[in-house]
Amino acid sequence: MKFYITLLILLFPFGIYSQYVLENESVIYSFNTKGDKKMVLVKDNNNKYIQYRFGTKRKIEMQFPAKRTEESWKHFHYIFYSRGGGKANSGQEIANLSFTKDGYQYLIYDTYFSQNEKLATGILLKNLKLDKTTRINGIIKNRVGSLFSLNLETPLKFDESLGFEF
């Protein structure tokens, strides 16, 4: 009996994390935030849908879109920029993925600047009515995946009208 209780205790944390990624899904991009939250962007393994999830380790506080359908791809806007050449050319990579929900624009960013070899990730949350933006910083060392090749691997379309933010 002790064995089963110990096993249950050890497996419990894995059950908590598994709510963020279903069996038929792959993680596109994920990171923990400095506020002890988790952002996970997933897609169905057959590209049937994309979904943003955010919350604590124990609870998903927000999912977007709510329904997992092929229409979900149309709710997201994607843009990236890459300039090579290293420090001599101020090389940089910037990728943004955004969506709008309930009067807020959510912009997930993934950046690299060779000038100072700085990586950054996070979420910009903009209240569209008040034109006020809040930054949620991501922790680089625990990020998984990348936003840079989204339009090559998924049905997302490149959206030049988005502009860059980070």
Side-chain angles (χ1 to χ4, degrees):
M1 183 69 169
K2 272 185 166 180
F3 171 77
Y4 292 112
I5 292 172
T6 304
L7 185 63
L8 183 63
I9 290 169
L10 290 174
L11 292 178
F12 184 68
F14 294 110
I16 292 170
Y17 181 75
S18 68
Q19 70 180 335
Y20 279 90
V21 184
L22 304 177
E23 280 187 32
N24 64 307
E25 297 174 339
S26 300
V27 174
I28 296 172
Y29 194 59
S30 174
F31 56 83
N32 292 343
T33 69
K34 294 182 179 179
D36 217 23
K37 303 270 182 155
K38 182 174 210 51
M39 188 291 301
V40 180
L41 183 67
V42 298
K43 71 176 189 75
D44 172 76
N45 290 330
N46 296 314
N47 285 333
K48 291 183 179 177
Y49 64 84
I50 184 173
Q51 193 169 49
Y52 167 93
R53 297 178 184 142
F54 185 83
T56 65
K57 291 178 183 177
R58 297 184 189 268
K59 180 182 177 196
I60 295 174
E61 297 171 2
M62 181 184 146
Q63 292 189 106
F64 180 84
K67 294 185 179 181
R68 297 179 193 120
T69 67
E70 288 188 31
E71 292 295 308
S72 64
W73 295 99
K74 295 178 183 176
H75 294 287
F76 291 86
H77 304 278
Y78 174 67
I79 190 168
F80 74 94
Y81 173 77
S82 180
R83 179 173 65 211
K87 287 183 182 182
N89 193 41
S90 295
Q92 54 189 264
E93 293 180 335
I94 305 166
N96 290 167
L97 181 73
S98 72
F99 63 90
T100 303
K101 180 181 190 285
D102 299 332
Y104 288 87
Q105 178 190 44
Y106 295 77
L107 186 134
I108 305 162
Y109 63 91
D110 186 9
T111 64
Y112 169 72
F113 295 95
S114 66
Q115 202 68 349
N116 56 4
E117 296 189 11
K118 183 176 180 182
L119 296 164
T121 192
I123 304 163
L124 296 177
L125 180 60
K126 183 176 186 177
N127 181 322
L128 298 173
K129 189 174 185 178
L130 301 176
D131 195 31
K132 181 178 177 182
T133 301
T134 302
R135 180 178 303 272
I136 301 170
N137 292 312
I139 301 171
I140 285 292
K141 70 180 182 182
N142 63 28
R143 73 180 173 165
V144 173
S146 173
L147 294 181
F148 289 101
S149 57
L150 275 175
N151 68 329
L152 300 175
E153 301 170 355
T154 69
L156 276 175
K157 304 293 183 227
F158 187 79
D159 186 353
E160 291 183 48
S161 68
L162 182 60
F164 294 103
E165 294 189 52
F166 46 89

